[in-house]
Amino acid sequence: NAGVMQNPRHLVRRRGQEARLRCSPMKGHSHVYWYRQLPEEGLKFMVYLQKENIIDESGMPKERFSAEFPKEGPSILRIQQVVRGDSAAYFCASSPPGDRANEQFFGPGTRLTVL
Amino acid sequence: KNEVEQSPQNLTAQEGEFITINCSYSVGISALHWLQQHPGGGIVSLFMLSSGKKKHGRLIATINIQEKHSSLHITASHPRDSAVYICAVSNNDMRFGAGTRLTVKP
């Protein structure tokens, strides 16, 4: 049973480009969470999704950021018109169906660098 | 004041020492999590607990719900334990502490 997969592991973008980060949850998991870790800062919650539904996006910046978890395929975190301040490690976690407070399993992260 | 406070921020120990990292929180929780992050690496979930104590190998995690406090202990520490240890609490979402950077010297 593979763990949570994220790709790419490293992503370099120039200012103004789009960044797409992918997350494949563990088999049998239907809940996906995205977190951001800015350089020298702690982790911050961004968004919580179930299949085809955004449950909680209270941590998402109001503009340029969006997330989806389609019926088929990985969850996507999309950042449009990236700026230098978007440079961070983005972690995805997944948990099994049920209580949101279930144990979450983290992916290896995608390190985004905006030039 | 952060909702999840960890101490110490940084900790250096000699190999073999017993280590304690503390976590206090100020919000209602369903569970508390201890995570480990190696430099430049991913995040590993060490423990999830809502009461009492859990043990896994040389790691022990305890929680006191009344006092809103948890501790992570490492017995017989080893240089490979060097990492950032993060306390997180979950209810409707997950809130993270700033992490404790542990360095274990041989």
Side-chain angles (χ1 to χ4, degrees):
Chain A
N1 186 8
V4 178
M5 312 276 283
Q6 286 188 251
N7 69 80
R9 295 290 303 276
H10 300 273
L11 182 60
V12 179
R13 284 287 178 267
R14 297 193 179 281
R15 281 178 296 169
Q17 291 184 320
E18 178 180 286
R20 280 185 178 241
L21 288 60
R22 294 175 188 77
C23 170
S24 297
M26 284 181 70
K27 189 175 180 182
H29 287 194
S30 56
H31 297 195
V32 166
Y33 313 79
W34 284 95
Y35 300 96
R36 179 166 65 173
Q37 188 176 42
L38 291 166
E40 304 303 319
E41 291 190 22
L43 285 154
K44 293 282 194 301
F45 166 77
M46 297 183 76
V47 62
Y48 161 45
L49 310 106
Q50 295 178 19
K51 282 283 186 184
E52 298 185 280
N53 282 307
I54 298 173
I55 307 301
D56 180 356
E57 56 182 347
S58 58
M60 287 277 270
K62 294 285 185 281
E63 296 174 349
R64 303 186 297 108
F65 284 72
S66 62
E68 62 176 7
F69 188 15
K71 188 176 179 181
E72 302 289 338
S75 175
I76 306 282
L77 178 67
R78 183 179 175 212
I79 312 172
Q80 295 178 290
Q81 299 173 325
V82 295
V83 300
R84 289 222 172 101
D86 297 333
S87 295
Y90 292 83
F91 290 94
C92 164
S94 72
S95 65
D99 194 327
R100 179 174 177 175
N102 273 339
E103 185 169 12
Q104 296 180 22
F105 295 82
F106 285 81
T110 293
R111 277 151 185 83
L112 172 65
T113 301
V114 180
L115 301 177
Chain B
K1 191 179 192 304
N2 289 337
E3 293 166 321
V4 183
E5 295 273 0
Q6 285 186 239
S7 63
Q9 273 188 299
N10 294 282
L11 180 56
T12 300
Q14 286 297 131
E15 183 172 355
E17 284 185 3
F18 180 83
I19 287 159
T20 296
I21 299 171
N22 294 301
C23 176
S24 297
Y25 55 93
S26 57
V27 293
I29 70 169
S30 299
L32 183 141
H33 309 254
W34 281 102
L35 311 171
Q36 180 193 55
Q37 185 174 28
H38 283 282
I43 296 171
V44 174
S45 177
L46 298 174
F47 293 104
M48 183 179 89
L49 64 166
S50 53
S51 66
K53 175 179 173 177
K54 285 189 176 180
K55 185 175 190 290
H56 182 71
R58 295 181 294 107
L59 301 178
I60 303 166
T62 64
I63 186 169
N64 184 317
I65 297 294
Q66 285 74 31
E67 294 186 5
K68 295 190 173 180
H69 181 268
S70 174
S71 293
L72 176 69
H73 306 284
I74 306 175
T75 61
S77 60
H78 190 277
R80 65 174 174 266
D81 297 326
S82 298
V84 175
Y85 292 84
I86 302 167
C87 171
V89 297
S90 59
N91 196 348
N92 288 322
D93 58 13
M94 192 174 265
R95 314 282 176 93
F96 297 87
T100 295
R101 186 176 301 275
L102 171 66
T103 303
V104 182
K105 295 186 174 179

